Amino acid sequence: IECFDVCGKNLYIGTNDCFVIHYNVEERTVGNGPKVVFHNEKQGHKYLAVKKPVIQIKAASALNRIMVLIDNTLSLLNMFDLEPIMTGAKVKGVTYFCINENPTNGNPFSIEICVALKKKQIQVYTVTEDKLVHVKDVHISEPPISVYCMINYETSHTQDLFPFDSEHSKPLIKRISKEEFLLSGPSALGMFVTSDGISQRPPLQWSENIVSMTYVHPYIVAMNDEFITVHSILDQQQKQAIPFQGGTYLGNFDGKLFVASGREIYALVPVAWEKQIFKRFQQQAAFIEFSEGHLEEAMDLFKNSQVDVREVISLYPRLLPSNCNFTRSVPPLHEIADVNQLSRGKEDLLKEYKQFLCTYLADIKGTGTGYKQEIDTALLKLYAEIDSPELIPLIAVDTGCDLKDSVEWLEKYKRYNALGLLYKVHGEHDKALALWVKICNSEVQDESFEGINFIIEYLANLNDHELVWKYVDWVLSKDQENGVRIFTDRPTTEPPSERMRPDTVIDYLHRFPIAVITYLEYLVFQKKLEKEKYHTHLAVLYLDAVLKLIKTNNVKKEEMDKA
């Protein structure tokens, strides 16, 4: 998903592979709660055939049209069958466009848009159902780079406002009311600016790396790579933080808030204050049950009240990642220092509390609660401490474990195979291989390691050929017959390279007679290469093997027949 727009019950999605997809989305309530759910039904899709991502998509219900920006071309599609409008409704060289939400013309069957072009120009168009009518050019001396500026499109007067860090932040602009806008400013500030170029409200203090924001009175909803935050424009204070990773865009569509990740779209639904109070009571009750050792009751309450999982993990010393800046809820949900205080030196009780956390985190992992790194890192530390068989699967499948913290913990409890897998997941292949070699050489002990065949398979699939050759000699000195699979079991999709050329491999394998014969057999019988020198070389090696057997006293007939 690159972009989306919602108009009434119609949801339009633009994808990175050049599709526009149309869904019908209907809001429903179910149960006694009642709970809000959304029913969606696909209406159709259109491939726009330019093999570029759809950058922007905007619906215009008054015209029964949608505007699409793709490959720097702005065009119109029919709102229902998604067919292009061919009557001159197209503008080329466009980098961005926006709709005038406060138009000056009174025609209900047209809309006004502003278009930014690649050249130093901004244009104003009137859009009708069959064409884009050019109204005005607004010339600018230099395109703004790393600075916000305000342009009066009637007089072309330009006023610079303030700079922003173009390397580390995305410029965001949102209309708040008539002639007032919110801009993403320096130092993670949200700056309010009027059409007079002044600010009449204090700025908002955001988190870093805001990627999208929207306004639903009186709240500013903003999103970075970890959270969706809600601030009030009345007192500029943060009211809520919702964990959400991988978000790309959020918007307010006639009072409905939708947020997109790379492959999914979610609705943000307001919760009545009565429910919020009830949820807080549930969370407080959960910690009371936890402190009294009623762990089954605490488990249910933690899950039902959707407590911030970090509140629970923080009760266990050093289980949160060292880079986590979490602070407990204010006002506090409990007065517990940590589980050491609750267990009062009783090892069995402390063990129960740790087993409780293992079960709780494993149950909520992957259920959309967020905080993947915090959950995975805490589980890794717990599994390492109790030598759980779940440690290897946790690391091997989409782990979010913090590397620095986890290395220290795995070394502490001597989980060397798991540490090697963690290095692998983080792309530290040399460190992973060096550790597994130590296990094979009995320099360190770890019975969970599968042995040299695992290293052989790993090297056979490693595309860093320089690193592969670093370990070839060690493998072949241990096991020639299986070690040669480093060269014979390589992926069929691997592009050719000088380091893996058959002649290069054969030259190297001369010191390993079993390996060189096996490799030549692979080239001749499996790859069916017709090069005469490979066939001749293999025949000579066969003959040498037979002659050596003949010279050997008491050779068995079976060995001679095999040769």
Side-chain angles (χ1 to χ4, degrees), residues 198-255:
I198 61 173
S199 181
Q200 295 179 331
R201 306 177 196 265
L204 303 178
Q205 182 61 64
W206 276 327
S207 303
E208 297 287 345
N209 305 319
I210 295 294
V211 297
S212 186
M213 65 177 178
T214 193
Y215 174 62
V216 50
H217 184 76
Y219 300 111
I220 301 296
V221 185
M223 177 170 65
N224 67 3
D225 52 2
E226 289 189 80
F227 301 98
I228 296 170
T229 57
V230 182
H231 287 74
S232 171
I233 64 170
L234 303 179
D235 61 7
Q236 289 72 49
Q237 297 302 305
Q238 180 175 309
K239 304 301 179 182
Q240 189 177 4
I242 305 166
F244 189 82
Q245 296 177 328
T248 57
Y249 181 77
L250 60 79
N252 175 13
F253 305 94
D254 296 325

Side-chain angles (χ1 to χ4, degrees), residues 354-373:
K354 288 181 178 179
Q355 187 57 55
F356 166 87
L357 186 62
C358 280
T359 305
Y360 171 60
L361 295 180
D363 285 353
I364 66 170
K365 176 178 163 63
T367 59
T369 55
Y371 305 114
K372 178 176 175 60
Q373 185 186 69

Side-chain angles (χ1 to χ4, degrees), residues 166-180:
S166 59
E167 289 188 11
H168 301 100
S169 61
K170 180 180 179 181
L172 300 172
I173 303 171
K174 187 66 185 176
R175 180 177 178 268
I176 301 300
S177 61
K178 186 176 180 180
E179 299 188 351
E180 184 179 19

Side-chain angles (χ1 to χ4, degrees), residues 465-483:
H465 294 166
E466 184 176 348
L467 188 57
V468 171
W469 281 105
K470 179 178 177 179
Y471 290 94
V472 164
D473 199 80
W474 176 85
V475 171
L476 292 175
S477 65
K478 292 278 187 183
D479 187 345
Q480 289 190 49
E481 191 170 350
N482 284 307

Side-chain angles (χ1 to χ4, degrees), residues 3-13 27 38 57-59 99 101 174 212-216 249-260 265-268:
C3 56
F4 72 95
D5 194 28
V6 180
C7 182
K9 294 182 179 180
N10 298 292
L11 167 65
Y12 298 95
I13 298 171
E27 183 177 342
F38 288 84
I57 189 166
K58 293 287 183 184
I99 296 175
E101 298 176 26
K174 187 66 185 176
S212 186
M213 65 177 178
T214 193
Y215 174 62
V216 50
Y249 181 77
L250 60 79
N252 175 13
F253 305 94
D254 296 325
K256 292 185 175 68
L257 289 177
F258 291 96
V259 56
I265 294 177
Y266 301 85
L268 285 176

